[in-house]
Each structure stands twice: as structure tokens, then as C-alpha cells.
Amino acid sequence: MRIGELARRAGVSTRALRYYEQQGLITARRSANGYREYGEADLRLVSEIRSLLAVGFTLDDARPFVACLRAGHDSGGSCPDSVAVYQRKLAEIDDEIRTLLTRRAEVAAQLTTVCPGCVLRKAGES
Amino acid sequence: MRIGELARRAGVSTRALRYYEQQGLITARRSANGYREYGEADLRLVSEIRSLLAVGFTLDDARPFVACLRAGHDSGGSCPDSVAVYQRKLAEIDDEIRTLLTRRAEVAAQLTTVCPGCVLRKAGES
DNA sequence: CTTGACCTTGACGTTGATGTCAAGGTCTAT
DNA sequence: ATAGACCTTGACATCAACGTCAAGGTCAAG
């Protein structure tokens, strides 16, 4: 399939696909006229990339996952490098959550001093 | 005082101060040679801006607070517009926290499937 | 008079993942 | 042969809050 079809099927723009290629995440055969040609495996790669981006991973983070899939594994996460990224990301997310909880408390405190009773419930609490 | 002194006392760069001025957050008298001249009130404004930025506010968010101080209030947050920003920010922070908690759970779930026992404790839990 | 610490405006660089033109080649159908 | 749907590479635009040069003016001290 050509880039337009892959884009439609993967739910991304052609621009994004070319960008992924430029970043070395995906590759494409070229047909005689210079058009990019993709197979089903590429759809799988792009889907993996998208789901990782969706949970806050960067394209760089996605590299090991793509490599893992290309290496024949049925899951992009089942390789040591991918697991390492998972763990690093988890730590990063935890850091961000802690930072946000701190900020939330600070802002709520400020708001309370000028408007007691204005603060609602804390995030995550029902 | 001139821009360098204000920068040192406020703990910001002169570039930042010029940027705040360009964004209409602070203003400066000019002495005969064209140098910016600031007073103590400006230090107060810059401090307010910095503390707001520190908790994740944008410069745009800081506008009502600066206006509030300029209007003579002793607290930048004690004006209706500021309170509104506080509440909006609180809601934004809560949204982000919820998003991150969801992501954290998704990533942890993925990691668990390929590496049971790899996931540590959840953020915020001890 | 000259160093050096200050100040001025202007303008490009940073970061990530694209969006959006520009200018043009390819291919199918009518 | 011509419309129009597809493809190509290249390159600038976006968002925020500055960092960092460039090129030059100002001023006090030695």
C-alpha cells in the first residue's frame, strides 16, 4: 500500500509518516515511480508508535519498541530495552504527578486565603 | 534601580524582564540616557510573576494578578479576575493529574504483562 | 583615554511533532 | 488531453519563555 492508504488505516497524517521515516522509526520500499510502498507490518509499527505517543512517550522513547517488533517479537514491549523505557517512563510520570500534586496544594492554599470555601475536592478524590 | 539590579534582586535574567515588559506585564520609566528605571513596586510585581510561573501559571495567567497589585491591593490574588484564574488553574491541574494517573495505570499494565513484578508503588502512595 | 561594567534594540535559536504551503511529477479515467 | 487524485522533496510556521549573540551607546574609575 502507498502512504495515503497507510495514513488512513493508521489514523495519522502522511506528514507524520514521512516524519517517522525521517526519524528512522519506519522505512519504506520505493516503487519504480519513487512512491513509498508499505506492507502490513508497517501498519503494525505505526500503530505501536501511535499508542505509545498517546500515553506520553516521545518518538525517541518508541525506538526500542519498534526495534523489538522488527526483531520479530509479537509485542513491542517484550524486549529489555523496551522494559527499561517503560520503567523510566513510569518514574517520569510519577515525578510529574508528584509535582502536580504539590502545585495543586500550593494553588489551593493561595486560593483559600483569598476565598475560603472556593476550593473543591482534590483530584483523584471523589 | 536599573534592570540589572532588579534582575539580581528578583532572581531573574534581564532578558526575562524585557520580555515581561514586551508582554505588557511590567513597565519602566526611562532615565535620560534611555536606561530603564524601576522602583520597589516593580520588584513586587516581578516576584509575583515568578511565584506564579513557579506553580505552572503562564505569563498570560499572571496578568490579572499584576493588575491587582497595580490597583493597590496588597495581594495579587485578591481580585475577582485572579480568583477566577486560580479556579481555572486548579481545574486544569486536576485534569492533568487525572490524565497522568490514567497514563500511569496504562503503562504499568503494559509493563506488568511483559515483566510481572517490575512495577513498583503507585505515585502518591507510600 | 581606555578599560570594563553597565545599558540599548534586534533578531535568531531552542523543543517536538507535526501543519501547511510551494512547486512539481505520476497515473487513472473520461 | 485534461481533470483530479495521488505522490515527491523542501522548507517555513506553530507554542512559551526565554538564551544568546550582534553591534553599539553610557558612564565611572584609574
Side-chain angles (χ1 to χ4, degrees), chain A residues 10-118:
Chain A
V12 306
S13 65
T14 58
R15 176 71 177 83
L17 293 178
R18 294 197 188 94
Y19 181 62
Y20 298 160
E21 179 176 326
Q22 188 191 333
Q23 298 303 307
L25 285 161
I26 60 177
T27 55
R29 283 177 299 110
R30 296 299 183 119
S31 39
N33 56 16
Y35 289 7
R36 289 173 178 80
E37 268 303 320
Y38 300 95
E40 295 300 319
D42 296 308
L43 175 58
R44 180 70 205 285
L45 291 186
V46 176
S47 299
E48 180 85 10
I49 292 171
R50 296 307 289 191
S51 60
L52 290 172
L53 288 182
V55 293
F57 284 48
T58 67
L59 280 185
D60 215 55
D61 293 328
R63 289 210 155 82
F65 294 80
V66 171
C68 195
L69 282 178
R70 282 218 209 126
H73 296 268
D74 52 324
S75 162
S78 56
C79 290
D81 286 356
S82 307
V83 171
V85 172
Y86 269 144
Q87 294 181 315
R88 180 168 53 72
K89 277 310 203 179
L90 219 43
E92 286 178 18
I93 292 173
D94 286 351
D95 265 3
E96 292 175 45
I97 291 174
R98 270 188 289 271
T99 298
L100 282 177
L101 286 174
T102 301
R103 283 184 187 172
R104 143 98 211 187
E106 289 169 353
V107 174
Q110 286 298 310
L111 178 52
T112 299
T113 68
V114 297
C115 175
C118 273

Side-chain angles (χ1 to χ4, degrees), chain B residues 101-124:
Chain B
L101 286 174
T102 301
R103 283 185 188 170
R104 145 96 211 189
E106 289 169 354
V107 174
Q110 285 298 310
L111 177 52
T112 300
T113 69
V114 298
C115 175
C118 273
V119 181
L120 308 171
R121 66 209 171 287
K122 191 186 296 180

Side-chain angles (χ1 to χ4, degrees), chain B residues 47-78:
Chain B
S47 299
E48 180 84 10
I49 292 171
R50 296 308 289 190
S51 60
L52 289 172
L53 289 182
V55 292
F57 284 46
T58 66
L59 279 185
D60 215 55
D61 293 329
R63 289 209 155 83
F65 293 81
V66 171
C68 195
L69 282 178
R70 283 217 209 126
H73 295 270
D74 52 324
S75 162
S78 57

